[in-house]
Amino acid sequence: REMTPRTEEISALHPDVALSNLGHKGKGYTATRNIPSGTVVCRETALATASTADGTGTHASLILNLLSEHQQETIEKILSLMGGDNTTPSNCMPTLAKVREIFPTLSAETYTLFVRLHNAVSTNHIRLSLDPHAGIGVFEHFSRFNHSCSPNCTVHIAHSCLDVVTTSAVVDGDELTVSYLPAGGQGRAQRKDELRKGWGFDCDCPQCQDL
């Protein structure tokens, strides 16, 4: 089955993909039928992006743009990605402290909203290219794809548009996974450290489990 053709703004999942409960991993996408290799299983434009750092960090820049432009619908969508979990990951604390330092007059209400958004962006973002200065994006459907160091899908990004494409056949019931990291080069310890610092979780995919 083909995906809907790309338009200026699109948010679509393949009809044979469903959001499922995956135990300790939380929610993620699984195949409801066998899906061939090379199938576009997700196509969407970003809810929000930030392409430059302004002294507060790229995550903070994205959030400040949302707040200053009063993008309430987008804010609610990003907050919903946390599923009610408002715990602040430890990797977020330095940026939040810096924001307090740069914007000491932020009201308690605005700062609380900022923290909630920062938690959501920190755990649901993707880098827009291999260039570390290219920035990040938050995508509504993509945020539900779990990471694996040996994924069965790859990600293609052009500006703020994203495609997720299977790289091997996916069997009915199997999870669809992507890598949050650039391909190749990292050892297990480096991958785990980068995922912990960048997304706030310890990877336990097959490649990262103790032998």
Side-chain angles (χ1 to χ4, degrees):
R1 302 181 187 182
E2 295 184 357
M3 295 288 293
T4 307
R6 186 185 296 283
T7 59
E8 184 177 348
E9 291 188 9
I10 192 167
S11 181
L13 280 174
H14 192 280
D16 295 335
V17 172
L19 189 62
S20 304
N21 289 314
L22 299 171
H24 75 282
K25 296 176 69 174
K27 293 184 177 181
Y29 288 121
T30 57
T32 59
R33 294 185 183 180
N34 294 343
I35 299 176
S37 177
T39 301
V40 179
V41 290
C42 176
R43 172 169 288 170
E44 62 181 324
T45 50
L47 291 172
T49 62
S51 59
T52 58
D54 59 2
T56 61
T58 312
H59 294 48
S61 177
L62 183 151
I63 296 164
L64 291 171
N65 288 340
L66 289 174
L67 294 174
S68 65
E69 296 171 10
H70 304 289
Q71 297 185 40
Q72 191 60 37
E73 183 178 352
T74 300
I75 287 171
E76 292 300 327
K77 285 183 178 180
I78 291 176
L79 290 176
S80 73
L81 301 178
M82 292 298 286
D85 182 3
N86 292 319
T87 304
T88 301
S90 59
N91 63 310
C92 296
M93 300 308 294
T95 298
L96 295 176
K98 186 181 293 185
V99 168
R100 263 301 195 201
E101 180 182 327
I102 296 174
F103 302 102
T105 59
L106 278 181
S107 69
E109 182 180 2
T110 300
Y111 181 72
T112 298
L113 177 57
F114 184 98
V115 171
R116 292 178 63 205
L117 282 166
H118 199 279
N119 293 350
V121 171
S122 295
T123 54
N124 292 286
H125 71 280
I126 184 174
R127 297 166 184 166
L128 295 177
S129 86
L130 297 180
D131 180 352
H133 303 294
I136 62 167
V138 178
F139 295 81
E140 186 172 11
H141 291 309
F142 178 79
S143 68
R144 300 299 188 191
F145 282 89
N146 288 318
H147 167 84
S148 172
C149 295
S150 52
N152 53 19
C153 297
T154 189
V155 183
H156 301 291
I157 301 176
H159 306 292
S160 62
C161 299
L162 172 149
D163 283 352
V164 180
V165 184
T166 56
T167 54
S168 60
V170 182
V171 178
D172 181 5
D174 280 359
E175 184 182 8
L176 296 116
T177 56
V178 299
S179 175
Y180 297 169
L181 301 174
Q186 309 105 322
R188 183 175 67 170
Q190 182 182 351
R191 291 196 312 271
K192 289 176 72 72
D193 184 61
E194 191 167 351
L195 289 165
R196 190 179 301 114
K197 290 179 179 177
W199 286 268
F201 71 90
D202 287 305
C203 185
D204 63 352
C205 77
Q207 280 203 33
C208 288
Q209 291 175 1
D210 293 331
L211 299 177

